[in-house]
Amino acid sequence: HTANVAITDSWNIVKYLDSKYPQTKACLPREAVALQKAFEKTVEPKLQWNILLCMTTQTCSQMNPRSAEYWRRTREKMFDKKLEEVGTEDSEKKEVVWKNILDLLSEVDSWMKENEEGTIFICGKEPTFADFVIGSHLTWMKRVLGVRSKEYQDLMAVNGGRWAMLAEGLNRWEWVDKESLESSI
């Protein structure tokens, strides 16, 4: 099942995996590709940027030395300043960034309310690319900030607990090992 293929960018990776493994549920269902692309172009960059502003220094501090060096070098080039100057240790700045994150997720929540009641995924009963995008960012925050942090607890409670339900719904994909991989196919 392995191929000597190098693919970058989550969108391209998902397209490749959907075509390579057509017997599995598609992350980009044919009837929702345009919606998924719109999500990838509008929601993901805003979410990622604000989380990056909020957690760039903390993320770097949890990496092994080689990864931390790469993270620091590439992010400092991106921001044209030291990581410590990017972070949101300033409480007023941090408050604005967290408000941006929560406002964006509240907007997505308002769209999801149009779904059938009780659905936790963006396209209904099965997760799609957009769910995995949000889920990966929730996991990033959980790992860096910790499940007991005020920010993560607030995030899990906002929008009637929607993001906690989404995170739980995606839980089976949080860790990939041979056993869980075999049981998911």
Side-chain angles (χ1 to χ4, degrees), residues 1 5 7 19 47 50 57 59 64 86 95 102 115 123 138 148 150 154 162 168 179:
H1 290 284
V5 178
I7 303 170
S19 70
L47 184 59
N50 281 288
T57 307
T59 299
N64 66 44
V86 174
E95 198 173 303
L102 296 177
N115 285 344
C123 287
L138 295 176
R148 291 189 177 96
K150 178 189 179 331
D154 288 350
R162 173 170 308 279
E168 187 169 324
E179 183 180 295

Side-chain angles (χ1 to χ4, degrees), residues 5-20:
V5 178
I7 303 170
T8 59
D9 183 62
S10 58
W11 182 262
N12 295 330
I13 293 167
V14 166
K15 282 177 61 177
Y16 171 80
L17 291 172
D18 278 357
S19 70
K20 180 78 174 163

Side-chain angles (χ1 to χ4, degrees), residues 38-54:
F39 189 91
E40 187 242 359
K41 290 292 187 188
T42 60
V43 175
E44 182 180 23
K46 292 176 190 173
L47 184 59
Q48 186 165 332
W49 182 254
N50 281 288
I51 293 171
L52 185 59
L53 286 174
C54 188

